Amino acid sequence: MKIYNTLSKRKEEFVPLEEGRVKMYVCGPTVYNLIHIGNARPMIVFDTVRRYMEHKGYEVNFVSNFTDVDDKIIKKAIEEGVEASVISERYIKECKKDMQGLNIRPATTHPKATEEICGMLDMIGTLIEKGHAYAAADGTVYFRTRSFKGYGKLSHKNLDDLQGGNRSLLVTGEDQKEDALDFVLWKPKKDGEPYWESPWCNGRPGWHIECSVMSKKYLGDEIDIHAGGEDLIFPHHENEIAQSEAANGKPFAKYWMHNAFLNIDNRKMSKSAGNFFTVRDISEKYDLQVLRFFMLSAHYRSPLNFSAELMEAAQNGYDRIVTCVSNLNYLLENASAKAMTEEEKKLMEEAGGFTAKFDEAMDDDFNTADAIAAVFELVKFVNTNADAQNSQEFLLGLKEEILLLSDICGLIVEKKKEMLEEDIEALIKERQEARKAKDFKRADEIRNELLNKGIVLEDTREGVKWKRA
Ligand code: AMP
Ligand code: ZN
């Protein structure tokens, strides 16, 4: 399996630090509003990476944080006249709802910055002890950027460029910094803001320190993969490397993965530019599975432009897979229980070739665009080769293959039809009559048929009751 590593700027063979295990950290959202679909891109992409790794047999420890202390959260809290935690808790809940709709699995751990302050104070203390950080007169603690030799290795910038020509890359300087490149680890509180006590001042952390600390706590000093959107490469991830490697004395992450932007009219979708749709907006018009399909239809390192036409195309593509599975289910309802014929066995082997193609695409830096193309080829193959004459075993085999590949993409393609109440009642009545007539075989058949459709029967003194499983 090859992964493009931002650190080396090339695709590298994936070799985990520990055999069979993957330690992966993905920078999560700042929770002050509903997430927009640009924020959803890294969530979908890295959830798919996780699913594929698990499919390959790795045990993945997946950590993704919620940034729940930040200027924007505090501003909103002041506007609403509530505590900052009311805002962050509200939007964490909403974010989890969106994640569920997008079939993004919860992380192994979802730490929150405000619950990890102790670890941050420890790491800042260590950095000061080792000479990599210092406290200014007002209690602000800065990281001494030039003290870390590797600074710039991820974003491929050198310190002189940062210091000299390109001023837009400078971390905004305040007079009390030793050097304009130094960045904040801890800052004094302002009126009305949440704060924590520390040896330097009552205050709150800078943004970057939380990820170094949570990654260390939940995954250890060295991890396999660290990921996020490409806007995080500089300064966020560069600063995380500086903090973690300076504090721990070990290399931080082996592979750095970054997704390209989701754009709209070729501009990055963002809250600040106001050119965004929330996941919730999209859910009013589309099944969120269509949004997931849309995101995966491009390679994660290619910019993706959001448009109504592309969403329609995604809807059609997704529907093609759903229809194929539903046709297979229809055929399966009446298929004979006989085993696969020799001819079917040969066809089944041929179908396996599409899984191999899918894997090949995913092994090449998670090329989901090509992987989905392989799913389409499989769908076409099924549409051509499956019919009412086929054995149950053959049809089931094809269905399982489509479901497996779709599931790796996190796409739910089998729509479980809910039975109508009147149909359930009619079958229950038929079962009662069969029992009266001592036709227990038919009565059992009906019970099983209902069970297969998720309806559980319970015989009580007051008669038969049913519930959806
Ligand atoms: P934020 O809440 O801004 O910290 O962003 C959370 C995650 O979403 C980060 O990994 C960002 O890089 C990513 N992100 C934000 N906007 C976009 C976008 N338009 N396209 C792709 N990723 C984005
Ligand atoms: Zn981070």
Side-chain angles (χ1 to χ4, degrees):
M1 192 191 325
K2 286 204 158 59
I3 297 185
Y4 180 88
N5 191 351
T6 309
L7 203 56
S8 62
K9 282 180 140 173
R10 52 184 183 80
K11 284 185 201 169
E12 292 174 27
E13 190 59 37
F14 178 69
V15 184
L17 290 163
E18 202 184 317
E19 209 184 318
R21 288 170 193 262
V22 179
K23 289 179 264 189
M24 180 166 181
Y25 186 99
V26 181
C27 292
T30 308
V31 278
Y32 67 102
N33 219 326
L34 291 175
I35 58 162
H36 63 68
I37 57 177
N39 300 133
R41 189 170 190 194
M43 291 181 180
I44 294 169
V45 161
F46 299 115
D47 177 61
T48 308
V49 168
R50 174 194 191 180
R51 285 167 182 269
Y52 185 64
M53 295 255 183
E54 287 181 352
H55 162 69
K56 296 284 262 191
Y58 291 107
E59 190 185 304
V60 184
N61 190 346
F62 188 100
V63 177
S64 190
N65 64 309
F66 286 116
T67 298
D68 64 346
V69 55
D70 162 271
D71 289 343
K72 290 175 236 127
I73 300 173
I74 295 168
K75 184 165 169 265
K76 185 139 184 164
I78 294 170
E79 278 164 18
E80 291 194 18
V82 294
E83 301 271 310
S85 60
V86 173
I87 302 293
S88 56
E89 284 307 317
R90 182 196 303 159
Y91 290 110
I92 286 174
K93 223 161 139 194
E94 297 298 344
C95 179
K96 286 184 173 171
K97 257 193 230 164
D98 289 337
M99 285 170 68
Q100 201 179 4
L102 289 163
N103 202 24
I104 294 163
R105 286 170 40 207
T108 316
T109 316
H110 272 298
K112 297 175 205 162
T114 54
E115 290 172 6
E116 308 290 342
I117 302 290
C118 258
M120 299 192 215
L121 298 179
D122 277 354
M123 190 177 275
I124 296 171
T126 305
L127 288 170
I128 293 178
E129 249 168 55
K130 291 190 168 183
H132 289 295
Y134 58 94
D138 71 349
T140 307
V141 183
Y142 293 100
F143 186 88
R144 193 174 270 130
T145 301
R146 283 179 192 278
S147 75
F148 177 67
K149 279 211 273 323
Y151 198 81
K153 65 181 171 184
L154 181 71
S155 50
H156 306 281
K157 300 177 193 306
N158 69 48
L159 291 184
D160 295 333
D161 287 347
L162 291 173
Q163 185 72 77
N166 195 344
R167 300 207 57 88
S168 65
L169 297 178
L170 285 178
V171 183
T172 41
E174 286 137 49
D175 294 346
Q176 42 173 9
K177 282 188 193 179
E178 286 177 2
D179 188 296
L181 290 177
D182 296 350
F183 59 90
V184 172
L185 299 173
W186 187 262
K187 56 187 169 189
K189 77 179 180 93
K190 291 193 197 128
D191 278 348
E193 289 187 356
Y195 69 91
W196 291 264
E197 287 176 3
S198 85
W200 315 290
C201 63
N202 288 344
R204 61 185 170 100
W207 170 33
H208 315 297
I209 192 75
E210 68 178 81
C211 292
S212 286
V213 167
M214 298 179 198
S215 183
K216 179 183 171 80
K217 176 165 169 189
Y218 295 100
L219 298 170
D221 289 355
E222 295 181 72
I223 69 170
D224 294 292
I225 300 174
H226 196 115
E230 67 181 9
D231 52 339
L232 300 186
I233 298 173
F234 187 87
H236 185 53
H237 287 166
E238 197 68 75
N239 291 355
E240 277 189 43
I241 293 178
Q243 294 164 161
S244 294
E245 298 194 355
N248 303 331
K250 289 188 193 139
F252 181 25
K254 227 175 144 183
Y255 304 89
W256 287 84
M257 294 180 73
H258 295 97
N259 64 274
F261 291 142
L262 178 79
N263 293 329
I264 190 156
D265 299 326
N266 296 311
R267 274 178 59 220
K268 181 195 173 196
M269 182 177 286
S270 75
K271 289 262 164 66
S272 53
N275 60 346
F276 66 91
F277 291 106
T278 62
V279 170
R280 216 49 73 80
D281 293 333
I282 300 301
S283 74
E284 281 167 19
K285 219 174 149 198
Y286 294 96
D287 181 336
L288 286 180
Q289 294 299 296
V290 176
L291 182 61
R292 184 163 183 132
F293 183 98
F294 163 77
M295 295 284 185
L296 297 178
S297 61
H299 188 271
Y300 75 92
R301 284 190 293 115
S302 305
L304 178 57
N305 209 43
F306 181 81
S307 70
E309 293 76 39
L310 285 177
M311 278 300 282
E312 285 309 313
Q315 175 82 64
N316 291 335
Y318 172 67
D319 285 349
R320 244 202 284 171
I321 309 174
V322 172
T323 307
C324 179
V325 172
S326 123
N327 288 344
L328 280 172
N329 277 338
Y330 178 76
L331 293 176
L332 271 163
E333 273 177 28
N334 302 304
S336 74
K338 66 180 191 292
M340 268 201 265
T341 63
E342 285 309 309
E343 197 195 339
E344 284 177 335
K345 278 184 194 160
K346 259 193 226 137
L347 284 169
M348 206 60 227
E349 223 176 275
E350 212 179 308
F354 301 113
T355 294
K357 243 181 171 174
F358 178 96
D359 281 7
E360 201 182 310
M362 292 297 273
D363 279 341
D364 182 17
D365 191 30
F366 309 96
N367 191 338
T368 53
D370 285 1
I372 285 180
V375 177
F376 280 150
E377 283 185 56
L378 173 62
V379 163
K380 196 170 158 207
F381 178 87
V382 171
N383 291 344
T384 317
N385 291 293
D387 61 35
Q389 318 311 321
N390 288 127
S391 69
Q392 207 175 44
E393 195 185 358
F394 176 70
L395 296 168
L396 260 182
L398 292 175
K399 178 179 154 186
E400 273 163 16
E401 190 174 349
I402 299 182
L403 290 188
L404 172 73
L405 302 188
S406 303
D407 188 55
I408 295 170
C409 297
L411 293 167
I412 301 168
V413 294
E414 186 173 28
K415 300 282 170 192
K416 296 251 184 325
K417 265 196 282 161
E418 282 223 328
M419 276 189 89
L420 295 175
E421 257 175 56
E422 61 223 53
D423 294 339
I424 299 169
E425 302 286 359
L427 277 170
I428 290 177
K429 196 158 164 247
E430 193 191 330
R431 177 169 169 265
Q432 299 292 75
E433 279 159 12
R435 288 173 71 169
K436 242 193 249 161
K438 302 218 179 319
D439 183 356
F440 297 114
K441 189 166 161 269
R442 177 67 192 139
D444 283 351
E445 259 173 31
I446 294 173
R447 175 186 273 276
N448 288 339
E449 187 183 334
L450 285 166
L451 199 61
N452 279 339
K453 292 186 171 150
I455 308 297
V456 184
L457 298 187
E458 206 184 329
D459 293 307
T460 71
R461 254 191 249 161
E462 296 85 49
V464 181
K465 291 197 172 147
W466 63 269
K467 60 175 190 214
R468 295 187 199 273

